[in-house]
């Protein structure tokens, strides 16, 4: 995962997307899945209705 991020980040920055590091250490795919689920729920909780 780390290798992929190092490859993709410069391309995203060239396009104007500057991401913040995530506050989690991802060791294996299950860690990534858990983080995505957590981040998705957290984002929904902070959304304001239109």
């Amino acid at each position: 995962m780390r290798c992929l991020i190092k490859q993709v980040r410069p391309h995203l920055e060239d396009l104007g997307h500057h991401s913040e590091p995530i506050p989690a250490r991802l060791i294996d795919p299950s860690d990534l899945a858990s983080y995505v689920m957590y981040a998705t729920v957290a984002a929904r909780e902070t959304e304001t209705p239109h």
Side-chain angles (χ1 to χ4, degrees), residues 18-30:
H18 302 280
S19 61
E20 297 292 323
I22 62 171
R25 186 171 175 144
L26 306 176
I27 304 300
D28 61 47
S30 66

Side-chain angles (χ1 to χ4, degrees), residues 1-39:
M1 193 69 178
R2 189 173 301 167
C3 182
L4 180 61
I5 291 169
K6 285 183 179 182
Q7 291 175 6
V8 172
R9 181 174 282 148
H11 299 292
L12 291 173
E13 289 175 352
D14 287 345
L15 296 171
H17 178 76
H18 302 280
S19 61
E20 297 292 323
I22 62 171
R25 186 171 175 144
L26 306 176
I27 304 300
D28 61 47
S30 66
D31 294 333
L32 176 59
S34 296
Y35 179 75
V36 168
M37 293 299 292
Y38 165 78

